[in-house]
Amino acid sequence: MPRFAQLVMGPAGSGKSTYCSTMVQHSESINRSVQVVNLDPAAEHFNYPVMADIRELIQVDDVMEDHSLRFGPNGGLVFCMEYFANNFDWLEECLGHVEDDYILFDCPEQKFMSQIELYTHLPVMRQLVEQLQQWEFRVCGVFLVDSQFMVESFKFISGVMAALSAMVSLEIPQVNIMTKMDLLSPKAKKEIEKYLDPDMYSMMEDNSDTIRSTKFKKLTEAICGLIDDYSMVRFLPFDCTDEEGINIVLQHIDFSIQYGEDLEVKEPKEVEEEPANLNYDELFQDKGDS
Ligand SMILES: Nc1nc2c(ncn2[C@@H]2O[C@H](COP(=O)(O)OP(=O)(O)OP(=O)(O)O)[C@@H](O)[C@H]2O)c(=O)[nH]1
Ligand SMILES: [Mg+2]
């Protein structure tokens, strides 16, 4: 039986930990069991119960205090993640071997929008994905961006690029989410609708007057064209107070990792000898009973 996992990623403060605790609460309300693993060695607070916490393995503060290493916060984070990648047996022990479990991994922050080493240059996240797949997990990437920073098209393009870089480097299904939709004014909400399912070509046209450099204009055109031609990036809105919206997000993710498909199918009744008139309805009469 497969197991299921969401890798919850995104820039600092984009709402990863809030997303995890919201999903746990939502799942409880619909009688599903979802657990969370904190993979952020620098985490200070989150309000969900953890099944495993990377800080028990290694903490950024300890690494930074080590005088022989002399790391700052960024180097410390990278060191912690590399240490983690060399100690996956710790994670294996924490996860156990539960069939059918559904686990959210609250990943470390990307310090700045442009700093995406953890997901691109360093193979840690990719190694984690491969390891989880070996443990029979179906993994979906969930990439969060803060809607507050997405209301202008240039900011939006950089958000898209960050989401895309995670998608390309991890090679797993990915659902992109715009968080904190409840904080937007009605006007901004209307404005942001066009970014959820973006038409990159018209977005480019909106901006073309403001770009003076032809080289920059060409580059932006090429990026927008690439994203549009391959329909690579879409966003789902997320508001931690809107149950229905949360459910839609969960359904998209479940669909991408085929959660639930194996649960409904039941073994057909055993037939001792082949009946002359095989009645398939009877054979599968148990299906959907539970
Ligand atoms: N109003 C509102 N606030 C939110 C929402 N999601 C997150 N926040 C707030 O945004 C801030 C950051 O959220 P976190 O969940 O800690 O974000 P994070 O991505 O885990 O942050 P780091 O782990 O520091 O990278 C917190 O103050 C949250 O309360 C949301 O949907 N609506
Ligand atoms: Mg967090």
Side-chain angles (χ1 to χ4, degrees), residues 15 67 217 250:
H67 293 295
K217 197 169 175 173
L250 187 59

Short mmCIF file of all heavy atoms in Angstrom, two decimals, residues 15 67 217 250:
data_model
loop_
_atom_site.label_atom_id
_atom_site.label_comp_id
_atom_site.label_asym_id
_atom_site.label_seq_id
_atom_site.Cartn_x
_atom_site.Cartn_y
_atom_site.Cartn_z
N GLY A 15 3.66 31.25 4.98
CA GLY A 15 2.51 30.60 5.63
C GLY A 15 2.60 29.08 5.68
O GLY A 15 1.58 28.41 5.83
N HIS A 67 32.12 27.11 17.59
CA HIS A 67 33.19 28.03 17.16
C HIS A 67 34.07 27.47 16.06
O HIS A 67 34.67 28.22 15.32
CB HIS A 67 34.02 28.45 18.38
CG HIS A 67 33.21 29.28 19.32
ND1 HIS A 67 32.74 30.53 18.97
CD2 HIS A 67 32.75 29.02 20.57
CE1 HIS A 67 32.03 31.02 19.98
NE2 HIS A 67 32.01 30.12 20.96
N LYS A 217 13.46 43.55 -21.89
CA LYS A 217 12.13 43.31 -22.45
C LYS A 217 12.10 41.95 -23.14
O LYS A 217 11.17 41.15 -22.95
CB LYS A 217 11.82 44.41 -23.46
CG LYS A 217 10.36 44.53 -23.80
CD LYS A 217 10.17 45.82 -24.58
CE LYS A 217 8.75 45.94 -25.07
NZ LYS A 217 8.51 47.24 -25.66
N LEU A 250 -7.03 20.68 -0.94
CA LEU A 250 -6.72 19.29 -0.55
C LEU A 250 -7.11 18.31 -1.66
O LEU A 250 -6.38 17.37 -1.96
CB LEU A 250 -7.44 18.95 0.76
CG LEU A 250 -7.10 17.61 1.39
CD1 LEU A 250 -5.61 17.51 1.70
CD2 LEU A 250 -7.90 17.38 2.67
#
